[in-house]
Amino acid sequence: MAGKSFSKLAAVMFALLCLGNLARADDMEKLKTALDARQEKIVTIAAFTANGNLPELKTALNGGLDAGLTVNEIKEVLIQLYAYAGFPRSLNGIQTFMTVMDEREKAGIADPAGAQGTALPAGTNRDAYGEAVRMRLSGVTEVPAKSGYQLFAPGIDVFLKEHLFADIFGRGVLEFSDREIATVAALAALGGTDAQLQYHLNAAMNVGLSQQQLAGIISVLEKDVGKNESAFAGKVFGEVLKKRSNINP
């Protein structure tokens, strides 16, 4: 048993080293104090995909392309959101994006495709890779003991590590910070996701987003999505900041 535990820990640490290039890229986000236009559109695309407001999503998708998001970056946002908002909302978002692309092509607008998402290399230890990603998002350097839902329903923990944090987060194209912007916006739009929103607000800061940038997400939600969504996100964000200040006075 001890040998098995050591082997898994070694695999996790190796995966963390492999993620080093992503960590350096995310560290660049610390130099910023506010969301740029591209990031603001990730907020609205994610929020309207999650809440199913397809007319507003269509506007947000056009705005995202105009703001500099590539076609494949938007595809990655829509793909990732199935893990948080479900296949129906994700597929509706993809269908809406297809309509937008058809209309823009007919109007003579040529949008850059950008880099395409790829699967992890064959033979990747997806459990270890996913654990490494989750550790980075959680801001920890050691694998924590399993607890709560991990013990009650271990299957979901496997899916979280091997599918969400390995298969999806490992596709590239988007920085972890961009994926967390999308996730925070989607969870705020869904509502009733206090625990998950707390986790991902912390995760967003752990991968380099500043408090000002997270406040920027809430500002975009208030301006472009709805006051209920922004109020919910603001309440949870306040709780997160209070807890973090108590941990790091």
Side-chain angles (χ1 to χ4, degrees), residues 58-69 71 74 96-112:
K58 188 175 180 181
T59 300
L61 290 166
N62 276 292
L65 291 167
D66 293 339
L69 285 168
V71 173
I74 292 177
T96 302
F97 193 33
M98 291 169 64
T99 299
V100 166
M101 292 304 301
D102 286 343
E103 292 176 353
R104 289 173 75 91
E105 184 177 352
K106 290 176 182 177
I109 301 172
D111 295 298

Side-chain angles (χ1 to χ4, degrees), residues 89-138:
R89 294 290 165 88
S90 175
L91 290 171
N92 286 345
I94 290 169
Q95 292 284 353
T96 302
F97 193 33
M98 291 169 64
T99 299
V100 166
M101 292 304 301
D102 286 343
E103 292 176 353
R104 289 173 75 91
E105 184 177 352
K106 290 176 182 177
I109 301 172
D111 295 298
Q116 189 167 358
T118 57
L120 291 171
T124 298
N125 184 330
R126 290 160 60 239
D127 179 87
Y129 188 98
E131 187 74 84
V133 170
R134 182 163 63 181
M135 288 167 62
R136 172 150 170 71
L137 297 178
S138 302

Side-chain angles (χ1 to χ4, degrees), residues 130 134 149-150 155-166:
R134 182 163 63 181
Y149 70 84
Q150 295 171 307
I156 196 67
D157 193 46
V158 172
F159 295 151
L160 282 169
K161 287 185 295 182
E162 296 189 6
H163 187 47
L164 174 57
F165 294 129

Side-chain angles (χ1 to χ4, degrees), residues 29-30 32-34 204-205 208-216 237:
E29 295 294 321
K30 294 178 181 178
K32 300 180 181 179
T33 58
M205 287 185 276
L209 287 167
S210 67
Q211 293 182 18
Q212 291 89 340
Q213 286 172 302
L214 294 182
F237 187 38

Side-chain angles (χ1 to χ4, degrees), residues 3-147:
K4 182 177 180 182
S5 297
F6 175 79
S7 176
K8 180 176 180 180
L9 179 58
V12 168
M13 296 312 295
F14 175 75
L16 279 170
L17 290 175
C18 291
L19 289 168
N21 63 323
L22 291 171
R24 287 191 293 273
D26 283 329
D27 285 342
M28 296 299 292
E29 295 294 321
K30 294 178 181 178
L31 300 177
K32 300 180 181 179
T33 58
L35 297 180
D36 59 29
R38 175 184 163 281
Q39 291 169 322
E40 288 185 357
K41 295 307 178 184
I42 291 177
V43 173
T44 53
I45 289 169
F48 290 130
T49 299
N51 69 15
N53 189 334
L54 300 184
E56 290 292 349
L57 174 60
K58 188 175 180 181
T59 300
L61 290 166
N62 276 292
L65 291 167
D66 293 339
L69 285 168
T70 68
V71 173
N72 286 326
E73 284 175 332
I74 292 177
K75 286 181 182 178
E76 286 302 315
V77 171
L78 299 174
I79 290 170
Q80 175 177 315
L81 288 188
Y82 98 79
Y84 296 97
F87 270 117
R89 294 290 165 88
S90 175
L91 290 171
N92 286 345
I94 290 169
Q95 292 284 353
T96 302
F97 193 33
M98 291 169 64
T99 299
V100 166
M101 292 304 301
D102 286 343
E103 292 176 353
R104 289 173 75 91
E105 184 177 352
K106 290 176 182 177
I109 301 172
D111 295 298
Q116 189 167 358
T118 57
L120 291 171
T124 298
N125 184 330
R126 290 160 60 239
D127 179 87
Y129 188 98
E131 187 74 84
V133 170
R134 182 163 63 181
M135 288 167 62
R136 172 150 170 71
L137 297 178
S138 302
V140 300
T141 56
E142 296 183 2
V143 182
K146 293 184 183 299
S147 62

